[in-house]
């Protein structure tokens, strides 16, 4: 099976982008080659742009508090594992405290580092970080992998509370999902929403089909069509075959 996730709200879209970027950051920091650590720096710069919204911190704190209140209402419920519930509540409390401890604009520690900002500026130019353009950066790349890794972790540390908050919220959102099995006749499927709004939609199907799902959703209807995933075609065509798939709606 192959699965695709479609964010329905802007908040979910930001959470998924943060998850994607922080995942790449952890991967590249864990590697040893200078090229990998260059890629890690580029991800740091992408995070600066993605999470620089002034209201992101407030949005995350608001959603964490809302989830905390909903989960606290489940205490003493015989159908809920108390130990698991308390563990999640502790994670939410910890993530909220770390976010509240953040001061200044997101990534301010990076913006105040002139050396990093010089790299960021040159990184936007094709081949702009060659050794003759940034000799001090070339010198840094010649240091041991562990020294570079410590620097990267130090630069990334003030950003990590946002990563933890996004991870918790996406975990709760995905766990809320309800899965249904459907068939898209000749590659098309429509479902009336009845005014119900979800935050995340997952579509899963046999990965041998070589198809891609295209989705549009609002509070009135959900439309999915499966198109042929042929490389090089400028306009993908809707398949003529019936497609069995799983549809998961995730909503806080």
């Amino acid at each position: 099976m192959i699965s695709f996730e479609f964010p329905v709200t802007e908040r979910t879209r930001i959470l998924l982008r943060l998850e994607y970027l922080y995942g790449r950051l952890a991967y590249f920091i864990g590697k040893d080659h200078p090229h990998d650590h260059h890629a890690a720096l580029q991800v740091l710069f992408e995070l600066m742009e993605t999470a620089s919204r002034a209201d992101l911190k407030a949005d995350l704190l608001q959603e964490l508090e809302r989830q905390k209140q909903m989960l606290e209402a489940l205490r003493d419920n015989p159908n809920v594992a108390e130990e698991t519930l308390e563990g999640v509540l502790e994670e939410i409390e910890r993530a909220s405290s770390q976010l509240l401890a953040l001061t200044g604009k997101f990534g301010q520690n990076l913006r105040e580092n002139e050396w990093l900002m010089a790299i960021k500026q040159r990184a936007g130019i094709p081949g702009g970080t060659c050794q003759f353009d940034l000799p001090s950066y070339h010198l840094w790349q010649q240091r041991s992998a562990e020294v570079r890794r410590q620097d990267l972790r130090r630069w990334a540390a003030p950003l990590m509370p946002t990563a933890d908050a996004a991870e918790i919220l996406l975990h709760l959102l995905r766990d809320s999902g309800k899965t249904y099995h459907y068939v898209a006749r000749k590659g098309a499927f429509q479902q009336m929403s009845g005014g119900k709004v979800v935050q995340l939609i997952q579509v899963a199907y046999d990965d041998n089909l070589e198809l891609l799902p295209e989705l549009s959703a609002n509070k009135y209807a959900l439309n999915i069509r499966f198109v042929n995933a042929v490389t090089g075609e400028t306009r993908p065509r809707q398949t003529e075959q019936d497609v069995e798939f799983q549809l998961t709606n995730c909503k806080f």
Side-chain angles (χ1 to χ4, degrees):
M1 299 285 285
I2 186 171
S3 178
F4 288 86
E5 290 188 321
F6 297 91
V8 181
T9 65
E10 181 61 24
R11 178 176 291 178
T12 307
R13 189 172 292 109
I14 291 294
L15 290 175
L16 289 175
R17 284 177 175 158
L18 289 174
E19 178 187 55
Y20 169 68
L21 289 172
Y22 280 117
R24 286 174 56 203
L25 180 64
Y27 174 83
F28 287 123
I29 287 180
K31 298 295 182 177
D32 292 337
H33 198 280
H35 291 337
D36 293 310
H37 289 170
H38 174 73
L41 273 180
Q42 289 183 307
V43 176
L44 278 177
F45 300 148
E46 287 185 59
L47 277 166
M48 285 175 55
E49 302 302 325
T50 303
S52 61
R53 282 176 36 206
D55 57 347
L56 176 63
K57 176 180 172 180
D59 278 353
L60 291 174
L61 284 169
Q62 181 184 39
E63 191 58 52
L64 286 171
E65 180 61 27
R66 194 168 74 89
Q67 293 306 312
K68 178 183 174 182
Q69 293 177 4
M70 291 175 61
L71 290 172
E72 285 180 336
L74 297 176
R75 281 187 169 132
D76 301 325
N77 187 323
N79 297 319
V80 176
E82 184 176 349
E83 185 176 346
T84 301
L85 176 62
E86 292 301 326
V88 175
L89 286 170
E90 287 179 8
E91 289 181 1
I92 292 176
E93 187 64 36
R94 183 167 54 251
S96 297
S97 298
Q98 291 173 343
L99 278 175
L100 284 169
L102 292 178
T103 58
K105 191 174 181 180
F106 183 88
Q108 190 63 33
N109 64 306
L110 302 180
R111 292 183 176 86
E112 293 175 351
N113 189 318
E114 294 183 4
W115 185 76
L116 286 176
M117 289 303 95
I119 297 171
K120 180 177 184 294
Q121 183 178 19
R122 296 296 307 179
I125 303 172
T129 55
C130 289
Q131 61 174 339
F132 58 84
D133 288 308
L134 293 171
S136 66
Y137 183 47
H138 177 68
L139 177 63
W140 180 79
Q141 289 180 311
Q142 304 314 305
R143 293 175 178 171
S144 70
E146 190 54 39
V147 168
R148 295 195 308 270
R149 189 163 18 253
Q150 290 176 3
D151 286 339
L152 288 166
R153 285 173 175 163
R154 174 166 50 85
W155 295 327
L159 312 181
M160 299 316 293
T162 307
D164 295 338
E167 180 182 3
I168 291 170
L169 291 174
L170 283 174
H171 177 72
L172 291 172
L173 180 58
R174 287 171 176 138
D175 276 358
S176 73
K178 296 182 179 179
T179 301
Y180 305 90
H181 297 265
Y182 295 109
V183 176
R185 301 297 179 187
K186 293 187 176 181
F189 174 82
Q190 184 180 66
Q191 182 183 69
M192 304 312 293
S193 302
K196 297 180 181 179
V197 178
V198 299
Q199 281 87 33
L200 181 68
I201 295 173
Q202 298 171 334
V203 177
Y205 54 95
D206 187 345
D207 58 358
N208 292 319
L209 293 177
E210 290 293 317
L211 297 172
L212 287 173
E214 292 184 348
L215 181 147
S216 64
N218 53 42
K219 64 180 180 180
Y220 303 109
L222 165 68
N223 290 281
I224 302 174
R225 75 182 192 117
F226 290 88
V227 300
N228 293 307
V230 179
T231 303
E233 283 198 6
T234 56
R235 189 182 296 277
R237 293 174 298 177
Q238 183 172 315
T239 183
E240 292 295 320
Q241 67 185 102
D242 293 344
V243 181
E244 295 184 9
F245 70 99
Q246 296 178 5
L247 177 69
T248 303
N249 295 319
C250 304
K251 184 180 186 301
F252 284 131

